Amino acid sequence: MKKTLLCLAVVQSLSVSAAQPADSLGSSSYYQLFAPLTFFHHIAGHKMSLCSDEADAAQEAVDDALLHVYLKRPDLVQVTETEQQQSGQLRQELISAPVVQHTQFASAGLLADPLPQADPVEVAVEEPLFWTFKGDGYLQFMQNYVSGNWYKGGEGNYSAVGSLTLEANYDNKQKWKWDNKLELKLGFQTSPSDTVNKFKTTEDLIRYTGKMGMQAADKWYYTIQVLAYTQFTKGLKANKQNVFSDFMSPFNLNVGLGMDYKISWLNKRLTGAVNISPLAVNYRYVDRSDLAKSFGIDYPHHHHSLTDFGSQLTASLEWKMNDVVKWKTRLYAFTSYHRAELEWENTFTLRVSKYITANLFLFPRFDDSNNRDDELGYWQFKEYSSLGFSYTF
């Protein structure tokens, strides 16, 4: 209501002074209209004065509007000019002087603090490990002493055997696998009764096994297997000068096409693979012509080599029975339908400490291409036990 009356009074007053120049409307008295309604003494004194000074139209309009409200609605007046002066006067320079806003432009970089820059982070992206490498080896010794008057007879001897197995396997975690294994084994023995040979080999093997497979099912792979093996040096017998085998005499190369099955049983304690190759070819080469016949080669009609076609079965398993005992076995069987060859290697390892192990090696073998023995027929057998150092990496 108060604002309505005041606005009406202002309109009436301005209409009276509309003919005044436009620059007279720049009076600084307009603040009286927007401040809390105050009774100003000079308004009544000015209107009642007989010789009042000439005032501008805007001031006259403001005074007339306020006087109109004083007369019509004195109850709306909240404070008098005297009370206002007692509470503190207004700063005249702010009332009379126009307010000028000074704007100062700052550089864009000073408007706000720059955003914190994150430290560079190096992101390392590791390539998938498709290749895995592992190996193990041992060097073991055996010694046996028997005095000349021992009541049961016999003789003392010394022997040593060393073995190294290296593996490099490729697996692209999708369908392809390529397994490579190289086995090296060499052992020597001395015995006083042998007056012809100072040393004889008890173990002599160089063997490579490679398998490349494409996955057919969960644990089945279409596989090409390559098996090649020979020995380091001459094979001799006690008190005989004859050489029974030698490096590249024989040399066997076997290539088989078939299926490979990966084994992981007994909570992964029994691991390995079984390979079945219905189609296999076996190439045998004997460099020394005097040994050709003993390895089934009809020399000189077939020169130094023999090629057979047939089928084969190979299995390579490792069973960690517990933390102390481990069994490694390898089974190899090949038949060309007119001859058969079977090898079954078994190594039982007893771990005494971290670097000390005891081994028991059992190796039955069947080969009907050799001469038949009166007692064992086509069967052959090798066994030894040893104690020594071992290391796995």
Side-chain angles (χ1 to χ4, degrees):
M1 178 64 71
K2 176 179 68 173
K3 292 183 178 180
T4 303
L5 291 174
L6 188 58
C7 290
L8 291 174
V10 171
V11 171
Q12 292 176 356
S13 300
L14 290 177
S15 63
V16 175
S17 58
Q20 296 294 328
D23 56 357
S24 66
L25 298 178
S27 174
S28 62
S29 299
Y30 285 124
Y31 81 94
Q32 297 174 350
L33 300 177
F34 303 100
L37 189 58
T38 304
F39 181 75
F40 294 99
H41 303 306
H42 71 276
I43 296 177
H46 177 72
K47 292 298 182 182
M48 298 178 66
S49 176
L50 297 176
C51 53
S52 58
D53 297 333
E54 183 179 357
D56 59 39
Q59 183 64 50
E60 288 288 344
V62 171
D63 291 348
D64 291 343
L66 291 175
L67 183 61
H68 179 78
V69 176
Y70 295 161
L71 296 175
K72 296 293 183 180
R73 294 295 304 271
D75 56 305
L76 298 179
V77 178
Q78 297 183 7
V79 65
T80 66
E81 185 177 7
T82 302
E83 294 174 341
Q84 189 183 68
Q85 291 175 352
Q86 292 176 354
S87 61
Q89 295 182 354
L90 294 175
R91 295 175 60 182
Q92 294 300 321
E93 65 271 16
L94 297 180
I95 298 174
S96 59
V99 178
V100 179
Q101 185 71 29
H102 296 282
T103 304
Q104 184 177 5
F105 294 95
S107 174
L110 301 177
L111 295 178
D113 294 336
L115 295 176
Q117 297 294 326
D119 295 335
V121 178
E122 295 183 1
V123 179
V125 179
E126 296 184 358
E127 295 183 1
L129 297 178
F130 293 152
W131 284 95
T132 57
F133 305 91
K134 63 179 181 178
D136 62 76
Y138 62 81
L139 178 61
Q140 301 190 334
F141 304 91
M142 292 169 285
Q143 183 268 338
N144 179 32
Y145 171 74
V146 178
S147 64
N149 61 347
W150 185 249
Y151 74 104
K152 287 187 177 180
E155 65 176 355
N157 60 75
Y158 298 91
S159 62
V161 59
S163 174
L164 178 64
T165 301
L166 303 174
E167 293 188 42
N169 301 322
Y170 175 85
D171 184 357
N172 69 350
K173 311 300 181 182
Q174 295 180 359
K175 286 191 174 183
W176 291 97
K177 282 190 175 184
W178 181 23
D179 297 338
N180 299 271
K181 179 189 287 187
L182 177 63
E183 299 169 90
L184 308 174
K185 190 179 293 186
L186 185 61
F188 292 97
Q189 181 188 47
T190 65
S191 56
S193 62
D194 189 356
T195 59
V196 176
N197 304 301
K198 188 175 182 179
F199 295 99
K200 299 184 296 294
T201 57
T202 57
E203 278 289 330
D204 195 353
L205 177 66
I206 304 174
R207 181 167 61 206
Y208 166 77
T209 304
K211 291 188 293 185
M212 178 175 288
M214 183 181 69
Q215 189 173 23
D218 183 22
K219 295 183 179 181
W220 287 94
Y221 290 80
Y222 301 111
T223 305
I224 297 177
Q225 177 176 265
V226 177
L227 177 63
Y229 58 94
T230 184
Q231 62 189 64
F232 285 97
T233 186
K234 299 176 181 180
L236 305 171
K237 289 186 179 181
N239 294 309
K240 292 185 178 182
Q241 295 182 346
N242 296 356
V243 176
F244 291 85
S245 62
D246 202 350
F247 177 71
M248 297 299 288
S249 295
F251 166 76
N252 286 275
L253 175 63
N254 190 294
V255 180
L257 180 63
M259 299 287 291
D260 200 71
Y261 179 75
K262 301 296 182 181
I263 293 177
S264 181
W265 299 340
L266 303 179
N267 197 21
K268 296 184 179 181
R269 286 186 171 271
L270 178 59
T271 58
V274 176
N275 182 270
I276 304 172
S277 299
L279 179 60
V281 56
N282 180 266
Y283 172 78
R284 176 176 291 176
Y285 173 81
V286 178
D287 184 61
R288 299 178 63 129
S289 58
D290 56 324
L291 299 179
K293 187 175 182 180
S294 61
F295 290 104
I297 298 177
D298 186 10
Y299 184 85
H301 298 90
H302 293 86
H303 301 286
H304 293 268
S305 62
L306 173 67
T307 303
D308 287 332
F309 294 90
S311 58
Q312 73 174 13
L313 169 69
T314 58
S316 180
L317 304 174
E318 180 177 317
W319 182 15
K320 295 181 180 179
M321 300 180 184
N322 49 49
D323 295 337
V324 178
V325 181
K326 180 173 65 176
W327 172 48
K328 294 177 68 174
T329 183
R330 172 186 174 271
L331 177 66
Y332 167 77
F334 174 83
T335 177
S336 63
Y337 309 111
H338 67 269
R339 75 175 185 90
E341 184 178 345
L342 174 68
E343 297 178 347
W344 187 23
E345 302 176 30
N346 297 274
T347 303
F348 295 89
T349 302
L350 175 65
R351 181 165 295 279
V352 180
S353 66
K354 184 177 181 180
Y355 298 112
I356 303 297
T357 59
N359 285 354
L360 173 62
F361 182 72
L362 305 174
F363 187 6
R365 185 177 186 274
F366 179 89
D367 187 356
D368 59 5
S369 64
N370 286 342
N371 297 326
R372 181 181 177 87
D373 185 79
D374 294 335
E375 296 182 2
L376 299 176
Y378 294 112
W379 283 97
Q380 305 168 22
F381 189 78
K382 178 189 288 188
E383 177 271 337
Y384 68 83
S385 59
S386 59
L387 177 68
F389 303 98
S390 66
Y391 184 73
T392 301
F393 54 92

